[in-house]
């Protein structure tokens, strides 16, 4: 990533700090959720890791995995739900696959917003968060304008073993990413693997905020 791109990213982060902070949700007056959290402790554990960066101006969080798409999407939903319970906040979830896995039920229950001019098609899950398919983000200017409507953008990119699709996604959108969390199986939790995963993103100028090791069962993938 060029120095100019890094400077632009830094300037965007500084500008976010000058914006009005999202309103904190009053539990007594919060609207009904329309969804149930099965593992609230996991939601807090994952979401809290992003809150500190968010308070420092980060907006775009990427959750990647070696080949565990369902776990990757559950991590995204955990963070989205965590912030949804804390703030009155506009959240966008970007994914290369909205038709399968944990996202599918929520997307099917969402209101569909068709493409209108430069605004891409997307789905709105009640008052909680929006979903957009990665291929819908075609133009750089249109993407930037669309992102400005949101306080938090959570990315569910192609799995890291799909190198061609990952390179395409990172090459186009790395300038937006503030941090990446990588989810891998416990068998890959060696320090040498961590270093290799971090080097994978060095060329894109992306900060790998943390590598989260989970017990992952491929049977559900």
């Amino acid at each position: 990533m060029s120095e100019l791109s890094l400077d632009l990213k830094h300037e965007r982060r500084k500008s976010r700090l000058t914006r009005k902070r999202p309103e904190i949700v009053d539990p007594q007056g919060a609207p009904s959720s329309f969804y149930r959290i099965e593992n609230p402790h996991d939601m807090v554990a994952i979401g809290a890791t992003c809150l500190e960066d968010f308070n420092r101006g980060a907006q775009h969080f990427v959750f990647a995995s070696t080949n565990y798409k369902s776990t990757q999407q559950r991590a995204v939903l955990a963070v989205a739900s965590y912030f949804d319970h804390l703030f009155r906040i506009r959240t966008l979830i970007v994914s290369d696959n909205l038709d399968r896995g944990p996202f599918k039920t929520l997307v099917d229950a969402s209101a569909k917003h068709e493409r209108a001019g430069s605004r891409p098609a997307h789905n709105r899950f009640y008052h909680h968060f929006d979903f957009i398919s990665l291929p819908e983000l075609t133009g750089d200017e249109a993407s930037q304008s669309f992102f400005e409507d949101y306080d938090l953008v959570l990315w569910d990119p192609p799995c890291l073993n799909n190198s061609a699709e990952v390179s395409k996604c990172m090459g186009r959108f790395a300038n937006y990413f503030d941090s990446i969390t990588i989810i891998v199986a416990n068998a890959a939790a060696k320090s040498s693997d961590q270093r290799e995963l971090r080097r994978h993103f060095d060329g894109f100028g992306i900060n790998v905020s943390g590598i989260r090791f989970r017990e992952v069962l491929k049977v559900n993938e």
Side-chain angles (χ1 to χ4, degrees), residues 113-123 132-133 136-138 142-143 146:
H113 294 256
E114 302 296 336
R115 176 177 287 272
S118 62
R119 292 188 61 77
H122 58 286
N123 296 69
I132 188 168
S133 176
E136 282 290 329
L137 299 172
T138 54
S143 298
F146 187 66

Side-chain angles (χ1 to χ4, degrees), residues 21 28 40 62 98 120 122 141 149 201 203 215 217-218 221:
R21 299 296 298 160
Q28 300 301 318
V62 181
L98 298 177
H122 58 286
E141 291 185 5
D149 290 342
F201 297 98
E215 281 289 352
L217 298 178
K218 293 186 180 181
E221 294 294 329

Side-chain angles (χ1 to χ4, degrees), residues 12-115:
R12 281 204 301 267
R13 181 174 287 202
K14 286 201 305 183
S15 70
R16 293 172 200 147
L17 290 173
T18 64
R19 296 179 184 176
K20 184 179 179 180
R21 299 296 298 160
E23 181 183 353
I24 296 176
V25 170
D26 179 359
Q28 300 301 318
S32 55
S33 291
F34 296 105
Y35 63 93
R36 179 171 60 87
I37 298 170
E38 293 184 351
N39 299 299
H41 294 297
D42 288 346
M43 179 193 77
V44 172
I46 298 172
T49 64
C50 298
L51 182 59
E52 186 175 350
D53 283 342
F54 179 78
N55 287 333
R56 289 199 295 259
Q59 179 186 20
H60 292 258
F61 295 84
V62 181
F63 291 83
S65 72
T66 50
N67 195 22
Y68 306 113
K69 192 64 171 178
S70 291
T71 302
Q72 187 172 310
Q73 291 190 351
R74 286 196 296 270
V76 169
L77 288 176
V79 175
S81 300
Y82 179 78
F83 278 84
D84 188 44
H85 281 68
L86 284 181
F87 304 112
R88 298 189 185 278
I89 195 172
R90 299 165 300 174
T91 298
L92 177 67
I93 295 173
V94 183
S95 176
D96 68 315
N97 192 339
L98 298 177
D99 300 325
R100 293 187 303 168
F103 289 166
K104 177 176 171 51
T105 301
L106 300 185
V107 172
D108 288 347
S110 299
K112 299 184 185 301
H113 294 256
E114 302 296 336
R115 176 177 287 272

